[in-house]
């Protein structure tokens, strides 16, 4: 078995990107010092300093407990635009910034997670498509995320749009991703987060077969619970036929707007149904969260002091600390 670690985290220093000055316009500024006592060997770049500032916001450089074995978490909801990608990217960044070694697998042909993590994506890019359809090793196609040590991304390219159809004729089509994970020793990784597309097709099924846990982001809006029953039924189907260990471990309420009664009502309803599966932390609606991807960044680095970044940090802390819970 090959060791996973796609590339040495120290290589991150070599992949710093050209970023427009605007990307740093509201960052903490060069004058802000790197928090003392850091032990991540972070390169001295504005993004790396901002990443450390995110920890300083919490008052200390805290390293969270590493799981005994790599936790594979699929972030799924067939409803579009509920915050799957935003959640994947920012939870992954927050975990990596607290000493966890994290791989993001972009399983959505839209490639939004890849963009948000500043991945190189051109016609030559080897992507998760090549892993699923051509048996390419994930280790070879995963790229280090610029300026966030311990974080890698297996990018998606538009080829993936055809994968749903191409997979149909392949042997064990539902288990292609699981097979790809099994081919490697993932003991060097603490988390694999899979960003699913807004559908319940073969790509999402591949994620559910490959993962141990499903995390469902729910947008605090009208119709938020629409389709949730169907998603849970699909999880049960995969549980009973393909992956008995699968569990809905986490529900995260996103785009919460404290000024509206509707947000509060949706949050209450979700909590009353799913109880302790729902994280205590609510992700607020925040302009900074929605701006970050256009700079190829997570909000954790784009504006670590913003309410959205602090909330995602808290949510990631809960995930790292809490025992696995099963949705009732
Ligand atoms: P899709 O189903 O298309 O993959 P998704 O579920 O991955 O969508 P995102 O892309 O993460 O959802 O979010 C949808 C939109 O909402 C994006 O424009 C994103 O920037 C924005 N958004 C997500 N979370 C927040 C937030 N907390 N505050 C403000 N905007 C947000
Ligand atoms: Mg998405």
């Amino acid at each position: 078995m090959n060791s996973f670690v796609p590339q040495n985290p120290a290589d991150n220093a070599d992949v710093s990107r050209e970023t427009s000055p605007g990307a740093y316009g509201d960052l903490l500024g060069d004058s802000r010092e790197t928090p003392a006592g850091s032990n991540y060997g972070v390169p001295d770049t504005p993004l790396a300093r901002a990443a450390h500032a995110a920890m300083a916001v919490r008052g200390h450089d805290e390293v969270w407990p590493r799981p005994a074995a790599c936790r594979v978490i699929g972030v799924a909801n067939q409803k579009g635009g509920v915050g799957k990608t935003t959640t994947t990217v920012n939870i992954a960044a927050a975990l990596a910034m607290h000493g966890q070694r994290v791989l993001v697998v972009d399983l959505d042909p839209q490639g939004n997670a890849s963009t948000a993590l500043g991945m190189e994506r051109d016609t030559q890019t080897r992507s998760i498509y090549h892993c699923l359809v051509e048996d390419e090793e994930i280790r070879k196609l995963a790229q280090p995320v610029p300026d966030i040590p311990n974080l890698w991304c297996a990018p998606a390219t538009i080829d993936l749009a055809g994968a749903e159809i191409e997979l149909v004729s392949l042997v064990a089509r539902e288990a292609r991703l699981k097979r790809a994970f099994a081919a490697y020793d993932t003991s060097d990784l603490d988390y694999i987060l899979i960003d699913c597309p807004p559908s319940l097709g073969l790509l999402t099924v591949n994620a559910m077969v490959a993962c141990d846990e499903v995390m469902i982001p729910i947008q605090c809006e009208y119709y938020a619970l629409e389709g949730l029953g169907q998603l849970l039924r699909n999880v049960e189907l995969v549980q009973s036929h393909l992956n008995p260990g699968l569990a809905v471990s986490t529900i995260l309420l996103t785009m919460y707007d404290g000024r509206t009664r509707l947000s509060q009502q949706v949050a209450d309803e979700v909590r009353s149904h799913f109880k302790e599966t729902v994280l205590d932390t609510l992700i607020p609606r925040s302009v900074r969260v929605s701006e970050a991807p256009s700079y190829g960044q997570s909000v954790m680095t784009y504006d670590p002091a913003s309410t959205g970044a602090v909330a995602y940090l808290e949510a990631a802390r809960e995930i790292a600390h809490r025992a696995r819970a099963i949705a009732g």
Side-chain angles (χ1 to χ4, degrees):
M1 274 204 181
N2 298 318
S3 166
F4 186 86
V5 184
Q7 290 191 35
N8 187 333
D11 294 347
N12 282 345
D14 298 325
V15 288
S16 56
R17 294 153 298 145
E18 289 286 321
T19 315
S20 72
Y24 300 116
D26 293 315
L27 270 179
L28 300 172
D30 286 352
S31 60
R32 189 174 281 222
E33 294 188 352
T34 304
S38 60
N39 59 355
Y40 293 91
V42 174
D44 187 27
T45 64
L47 274 179
R49 285 196 296 275
H52 274 248
M55 286 183 277
V57 165
R58 301 299 310 153
H60 43 83
D61 287 356
E62 183 193 350
V63 177
W64 296 338
R66 297 177 65 182
C70 180
R71 286 172 69 181
V72 184
I73 305 177
V75 182
N77 189 337
Q78 81 274 25
K79 202 166 156 52
V82 299
K84 292 180 288 295
T85 302
T86 306
T87 296
T88 306
V89 163
N90 291 302
I91 295 286
L95 288 168
M97 287 155 63
H98 284 80
Q100 314 292 311
R101 299 169 68 86
V102 186
L103 172 70
V104 169
V105 173
D106 189 350
L107 209 55
D108 184 349
Q110 298 177 98
N112 296 150
S114 309
T115 307
L117 291 172
M119 292 295 99
E120 298 282 346
R121 286 199 305 143
D122 54 36
T123 48
Q124 305 302 315
T125 303
R126 306 298 288 175
S127 76
I128 201 70
Y129 165 84
H130 300 97
C131 168
L132 292 176
V133 176
E134 296 178 2
D135 285 329
E136 176 124 2
E137 298 175 16
I138 290 192
R139 184 168 50 98
K140 286 194 180 154
L141 52 90
Q143 302 174 29
V145 172
D147 295 313
I148 305 184
N150 301 326
L151 182 57
W152 295 269
C153 176
T157 51
I158 194 65
D159 304 314
L160 199 54
E164 295 265 7
I165 294 164
E166 289 181 60
L167 282 171
V168 169
S169 58
L170 297 182
V171 176
R173 59 195 177 196
E174 304 91 353
R176 305 291 296 184
L177 189 61
K178 183 189 171 84
R179 212 167 71 153
F181 289 164
Y184 301 100
D185 173 9
T186 53
S187 59
D188 289 331
L189 287 171
D190 298 308
Y191 291 87
I192 298 176
L193 266 60
I194 309 169
D195 184 28
C196 293
S199 77
L200 291 172
L202 260 181
L203 289 172
T204 299
V205 170
N206 260 272
M208 286 186 187
V209 172
C211 69
D212 317 305
E213 305 175 42
V214 175
M215 169 156 58
I216 305 176
I218 294 181
Q219 187 182 356
C220 295
E221 287 290 347
Y222 197 54
Y223 293 135
L225 303 182
E226 196 188 52
L228 203 57
Q230 200 188 349
L231 174 61
L232 295 175
R233 271 193 300 282
N234 270 49
V235 171
E236 276 168 24
L237 276 174
V238 173
Q239 254 169 358
S240 49
H241 297 288
L242 298 162
N243 182 9
L246 185 66
V248 176
S249 66
T250 312
I251 289 176
L252 178 62
L253 294 162
T254 63
M255 295 184 241
Y256 181 83
D257 184 347
R259 294 166 303 181
T260 67
R261 277 184 49 207
L262 180 61
S263 268
Q264 183 64 53
Q265 280 167 357
V266 171
D268 289 348
E269 196 175 336
V270 171
R271 284 192 196 288
S272 74
H273 266 90
F274 296 102
K275 309 205 164 39
E276 71 280 0
T277 306
V278 187
L279 295 184
D280 294 337
T281 308
L282 292 157
I283 307 301
R285 191 172 276 285
S286 144
V287 174
R288 310 304 265 162
V289 169
S290 57
E291 282 173 355
S294 61
Y295 294 100
Q297 292 186 43
S298 70
V299 75
M300 309 309 301
T301 49
Y302 175 64
D303 189 351
S306 64
T307 53
V310 171
Y312 268 117
L313 195 70
E314 280 303 325
R317 183 200 308 273
E318 275 193 69
I319 290 168
H321 282 91
R322 75 191 296 184
R324 183 167 139 164
I326 311 233

